Amino acid sequence: MTVLAHFSDLHLDGSPERADRAGRVVSYLCALPGALDAVVITGDLAENGTAEEYAQLREVLKPLHDRFPVLMCPGNHDVTPVFAEHLAAPQSAAAHGGVQILLVDSSIPGEDDGLLSTSTLDWLDARLAAAPGTPAVVGFHHPPAALGIPFIDVIGLRNPAALATVLSRHPQVVAVLAGHAHAAVSTTFAGVPLLVAPGVVSTAALPWECASTWSYQDDWVSLMFHTHTPGGFTTHVRTISAR
Ligand SMILES: [Fe+2]
């Protein structure tokens, strides 16, 4: 069985409060008695995308890197060139636990919504074509489907149909992973599970929960565990204290 931990939207801004919330997730994962095949972080690691924020991220995430493979991609709050210089490659392919994990950059400089460029889609297509027999997970920041969160749905992925076309050629893709919504959401996209990780920094309010704010900072932080077996792809959500 392949086990992936998945969280998103840390939005580190130099403040101890946000570092503490991210640190709780790191501590929880590092204290697990069992093994994880990889940890996936789907964007908005920093609030403003500065070198100083990425330095704070490196420090907060270090225990995780010491124990597990950690894979990540930028979000709209990240600045890709700075992310690439100070944190990680913005696009990566790795195989862990028999699953190919492809992470790409869906951010557009200066914009909140997202796009998978032609070159990014071509790269995904080629990587998937090169390993047709290996189960694959594709991850990026912007959800390619509406989630029922109005503030997020208007700044999602601009070209989901182009991604769906690529995925239709590669039936070994078992799931699409995203962030951005600050909410643990499970739906489907192009016939595969779409799992949106909760936001470490805050939780998005649904329209029927709160009319006055788009998100709130609660006493909890959450993450997902995805498992893959020959029998299928399964997701668990874990919520831990933020204090
Ligand atoms: Fe975002």
Side-chain angles (χ1 to χ4, degrees):
M1 180 169 68
T2 308
V3 183
L4 307 177
H6 176 202
F7 57 96
S8 199
D9 295 80
L10 286 62
H11 288 260
L12 288 204
D13 60 355
S15 71
E17 291 78 14
R18 294 187 179 191
D20 284 350
R21 294 179 74 87
R24 288 306 298 253
V25 175
V26 171
S27 299
Y28 173 77
L29 293 175
C30 289
L32 294 175
L36 302 173
D37 290 289
V39 176
V40 177
I41 312 174
T42 42
D44 280 1
L45 283 95
E47 175 69 19
N48 304 295
T50 65
E52 292 75 21
E53 289 173 349
Y54 292 124
Q56 185 186 33
L57 274 156
R58 288 200 306 276
E59 190 179 324
V60 168
L61 297 177
K62 185 175 184 308
L64 216 47
H65 280 287
D66 289 346
R67 179 146 181 217
F68 307 112
V70 182
L71 315 170
M72 57 188 88
C73 59
N76 53 302
H77 279 260
D78 292 301
V79 176
T80 297
V82 188
F83 184 101
E85 183 178 353
H86 294 280
L87 192 65
Q91 176 172 293
S92 61
H96 296 288
V99 171
Q100 187 180 32
I101 302 164
L102 302 173
L103 296 187
V104 294
D105 181 6
S106 60
S107 70
I108 308 167
E111 303 291 339
D112 287 331
D113 60 350
L115 180 80
L116 294 174
S117 70
T118 302
S119 63
T120 297
L121 290 165
D122 288 347
W123 181 86
L124 275 177
D125 203 20
R127 286 285 178 167
L128 291 166
T134 305
V137 168
V138 173
F140 47 89
H141 185 65
H142 296 81
L147 306 177
I149 305 172
F151 183 90
I152 294 298
D153 288 345
V154 296
I155 54 170
L157 191 74
R158 287 184 192 176
N159 58 339
L163 174 65
T165 298
V166 171
L167 297 185
S168 71
R169 292 196 278 267
H170 307 288
Q172 80 270 28
V173 175
V174 295
V176 173
L177 309 183
H180 193 46
H182 296 214
V185 186
S186 161
T187 182
T188 57
F189 172 75
V192 298
L194 166 62
L195 289 312
V196 181
V200 171
V201 68
S202 66
T203 298
L206 294 163
W208 53 92
E209 287 184 307
C210 184
S212 61
T213 182
W214 86 270
S215 76
Y216 56 92
Q217 202 162 44
D218 50 23
D219 291 340
W220 310 95
V221 290
S222 301
L223 69 149
M224 287 174 158
F225 290 118
H226 306 299
T227 66
H228 179 263
T229 68
F233 187 89
T234 304
T235 295
H236 302 259
V237 178
R238 280 292 175 276
T239 299
I240 56 181
S241 169
R243 295 175 184 155

